[in-house]
Amino acid sequence: MRNSQLFFTSRRFTRRATLSLFGVGVLTTVLAACRQSPATNTAQTITPTTPSAQPTAGPSGGTLTPTASPTAVRAYRVETVVSELELGSHRVRTFTYNGQLPGPELRVREGEALRVVVDNRLPEPTTIHWHGIPVPNAMDGVPDVTQPAIAPGTQFTYEFVVPVAGTYFYHTHVGLQLDRGLYGALIVEPRQETLSYDREVTLVLDDWLDGIAGTPEDALRQLVGAGHGDHGMGQNTMPMTPGMGTMPGMGTMPGMGTMPGMAGGSPQELTPDLVYPLYLINGRSVDAPFEFAGKRGELLRLRLINAASATIFRVALVGHRLRLVQVDGQPIEPLEGDALRIGMGERYDVLVQLDNPGVWPLVAWAEGTDATALAVLRYEGSSGSLSPVTTRPSELAGELLHGLRVRSANAESAPFTPDLELPVVLSGGMGQYVWTIDGQAYPNAEPIRVKLGQRVRFRLQNMTTMPHPMHLHGHFFRVGQSPQGALRDTVLIDPMQEVTIDWVADNPGHWAFHCHHLYHQETGMMRIIEVS
Ligand SMILES: [Cu+2]
């Protein structure tokens, strides 16, 4: 059973090193992760079994409808397990993939098939969603919509052709499991690399409370209870924003705008619903940060993935500028800046010219809080220790890169002419802690019906005082009613802002469309879009 073998490298390799090592087959072989054992939480890459030249068989869970004849299959095996992790000074019991946090980085080449056997060893059902990848509907991992959740003690095989290159991630789509450890990077290497760089590092951002401030379910009860004056439950360790909600009588949207009107404005710094006890990069807290190497003269690619449940981050690499080259895996017209803002579910790829030797903090400030996540860049030959880290280095006050400034590198030749144009109103508030789309709270919500092939325009109107990163499954959309608008799968919409997204409903099935703030999603801010 070659495909059931699991290999992973014992440390991170640079892209070039990885390729050359694969060539000579020098790999450290390690057994599949143990259940309920202390886990290493360094970021690790598992390498797939040898690609097969055979066409893929259909997956067990649905019909495979490849868009191209796959040249190879990358096969992985992932176990969802109860694990104990050390996070700084804390020891927590949580859910992980293969005992690792983040889960193993999965890599596949554009046009190949990805096959992942999921072995659910959790005491509850789970699924995997392939965030950003336009998969066949049956592979999308939304429980009770595209598949029954994978029952405890059973397996499910996901298999699909990966039609797009770029930086993606995979995560559970069941309940509040995402606010445990069930996420990992999914890197799709292009058939032909158009970017030039010397090494790459994947940085997965997260907010962490599980096992430190109760559980995600406790956090949800506190959020809901706070609005009802019920403060009687459990530990009260979760500071919350007081009394925010939809403004009464708010019928118009002063100051709202779409691109390009928004492009010049800088986003507000918004206090989140939840302030977490820990913020992590690659599963590491600030007192034992993830460290990565650089070399003077090289160009470094950082793949930033925000896997947090409820935190927008602002990221800066002290002593360096950032050159933003991709968002949500898609190429853009490069933008330079000092810091970037990344919402939940978004991915930003930046290039960094390594021209300032030393030991430097990469800070991911949790917007609206006093806390940060941290990683460390150490130049080769630099043996010093990290200078004291502030949560607000000066770079964060510099030029900010954010989604509404981005222009696609692949512009349309003509303006988008919608067949169907819908206002989509985002409502809700901290008071009742119910979040809605067009006044309906999922699952008590009508599906939005769209005909296959229709060109659809959504006018997303945020009528609340909180930001919402809206994520569409199965499709990319173009932001801002412009032929140059960025192609994305997630777009962050600030309070009282309207953002237009244009998309072609070319992937049949039932697709989730939801806020990627997990607690907004769980309390109603989701709809199913039926494309048929
Ligand atoms: Cu939201």
Side-chain angles (χ1 to χ4, degrees):
M1 283 291 292
R2 288 159 87 197
N3 287 346
S4 68
Q5 296 299 306
L6 176 70
F7 302 94
F8 52 88
T9 54
S10 61
R11 63 179 179 87
R12 289 190 73 75
F13 295 104
T14 65
R15 178 168 162 272
R16 285 178 179 174
T18 305
L19 292 173
S20 61
L21 281 170
F22 288 2
V24 294
V26 181
L27 283 175
T28 308
T29 305
V30 186
L31 285 175
C34 307
R35 281 177 78 188
Q36 305 193 8
S37 62
T40 57
N41 55 4
T42 53
Q44 289 170 318
T45 302
I46 58 174
T47 61
T49 50
T50 310
S52 153
Q54 301 304 311
T56 69
S60 58
T63 308
L64 186 67
T65 52
T67 54
S69 184
T71 56
V73 179
R74 300 271 188 134
Y76 294 92
R77 186 181 181 86
V78 169
E79 286 185 359
T80 52
V81 290
V82 177
S83 305
E84 285 189 9
L85 298 178
E86 281 177 24
L87 299 173
S89 59
H90 302 274
R91 192 170 185 85
V92 302
R93 191 175 172 84
T94 190
F95 299 167
T96 67
Y97 295 120
N98 293 1
Q100 298 169 230
L101 186 72
E105 180 173 296
L106 307 183
R107 295 189 86 102
V108 61
R109 192 166 295 262
E110 178 186 7
E112 290 180 346
L114 178 65
R115 177 191 297 153
V116 180
V117 177
V118 181
D119 188 355
N120 183 11
R121 309 285 184 89
L122 298 174
E124 54 186 72
T126 193
T127 63
I128 294 183
H129 170 60
W130 312 94
H131 183 111
I133 307 285
V135 297
N137 195 235
M139 298 289 101
D140 199 44
V142 179
D144 305 321
V145 176
T146 66
Q147 67 172 106
I150 308 164
T154 69
Q155 295 186 352
F156 183 85
T157 301
Y158 292 94
E159 182 164 337
F160 49 86
V161 171
V162 180
V164 286
T167 301
Y168 301 87
F169 71 124
Y170 64 98
H171 61 79
T172 174
H173 219 281
V174 171
L176 298 173
Q177 287 177 355
L178 176 61
D179 214 3
R180 294 192 160 89
L182 294 178
Y183 61 84
L186 171 57
I187 306 302
V188 186
E189 296 159 355
R191 286 192 185 89
Q192 195 150 23
E193 184 59 81
T194 53
L195 293 172
S196 171
Y197 54 92
D198 298 297
R199 64 175 78 200
E200 67 170 81
V201 174
T202 304
L203 299 174
V204 188
L205 312 180
D206 190 19
D207 44 18
W208 193 276
L209 61 83
D210 190 31
I212 298 175
T215 64
E217 287 72 24
D218 293 335
L220 179 61
R221 276 192 290 273
Q222 287 201 352
L223 287 167
V224 173
H228 295 129
D230 171 17
H231 300 284
M233 55 78 52
Q235 305 168 264
N236 191 17
T237 47
M238 200 68 52
M240 273 172 291
T241 314
M244 299 190 71
T246 306
M247 293 168 196
M250 187 173 69
T252 58
M253 301 184 66
M256 76 183 187
T258 52
M259 276 171 48
M262 278 306 300
S266 234
Q268 309 162 50
E269 294 174 5
L270 298 160
T271 306
D273 304 25
L274 288 168
V275 176
Y276 284 71
L278 289 182
Y279 296 93
L280 310 178
I281 296 179
N282 288 352
R284 308 284 289 268
S285 62
V286 291
D287 44 7
F290 176 79
E291 191 169 302
F292 56 99
K295 189 176 180 183
R296 184 175 199 165
E298 284 190 349
L299 202 53
L300 170 68
R301 177 183 191 166
L302 297 176
R303 298 179 184 266
L304 292 157
I305 300 169
N306 186 351
S309 291
T311 303
I312 298 168
F313 289 98
R314 295 198 184 193
V315 179
L317 177 56
V318 175
H320 297 78
R321 294 266 288 175
L322 307 176
R323 183 175 171 85
L324 182 61
V325 291
Q326 292 185 359
V327 294
D328 293 357
Q330 301 302 301
I332 64 161
E333 289 182 2
L335 286 173
E336 299 215 354
D338 301 298
L340 64 82
R341 183 177 193 236
I342 181 169
M344 298 80 89
E346 295 185 313
R347 289 89 61 213
Y348 282 77
D349 281 51
V350 297
L351 299 180
V352 179
Q353 186 65 54
L354 297 177
D355 55 4
N356 195 1
V359 183
W360 297 102
L362 181 140
V363 168
W365 172 55
E367 188 178 280
T369 77
D370 296 325
T372 189
L374 177 69
V376 176
L377 164 63
R378 180 182 296 275
Y379 278 70
E380 287 179 10
S382 295
S383 56
S385 57
L386 187 65
S387 53
V389 178
T390 71
T391 56
R392 305 292 298 272
S394 62
E395 281 79 1
L396 288 181
E399 188 179 356
L400 182 68
L401 303 168
H402 59 87
L404 293 184
R405 291 185 56 190
V406 170
R407 295 285 183 281
S408 174
N410 299 313
E412 300 290 341
S413 55
F416 188 86
T417 49
D419 303 313
L420 177 67
E421 183 163 348
L422 292 176
V424 175
V425 178
L426 310 175
S427 300
M430 297 296 289
Q432 295 298 309
Y433 215 81
V434 174
W435 300 90
T436 62
I437 294 176
D438 290 336
Q440 300 179 35
Y442 188 86
N444 301 313
E446 295 284 311
I448 297 171
R449 293 189 176 85
V450 170
K451 289 196 179 69
L452 185 62
Q454 263 186 330
R455 300 163 67 80
V456 183
R457 171 168 291 166
F458 283 172
R459 293 185 174 282
L460 303 170
Q461 300 169 354
N462 182 355
M463 304 295 282
T464 80
T465 57
M466 303 303 274
H468 303 290
M470 298 303 296
H471 172 52
L472 175 63
H473 288 211
H475 302 77
F476 288 98
F477 51 75
R478 207 174 273 279
V479 178
Q481 215 172 313
S482 157
Q484 288 87 44
L487 273 177
R488 309 210 55 168
D489 53 68
T490 308
V491 62
L492 184 55
I493 306 171
D494 273 333
M496 305 310 296
Q497 194 177 64
E498 176 176 308
V499 172
T500 298
I501 63 171
D502 294 338
W503 56 286
V504 179
D506 57 5
N507 198 354
H510 293 187
W511 300 104
F513 173 63
H514 64 88
C515 180
H516 224 278
H517 186 303
L518 184 64
Y519 295 85
H520 296 180
Q521 176 189 344
E522 187 66 10
T523 53
M525 195 170 270
M526 168 158 150
R527 294 293 278 274
I528 301 302
I529 300 176
E530 293 185 6
V531 178
S532 60

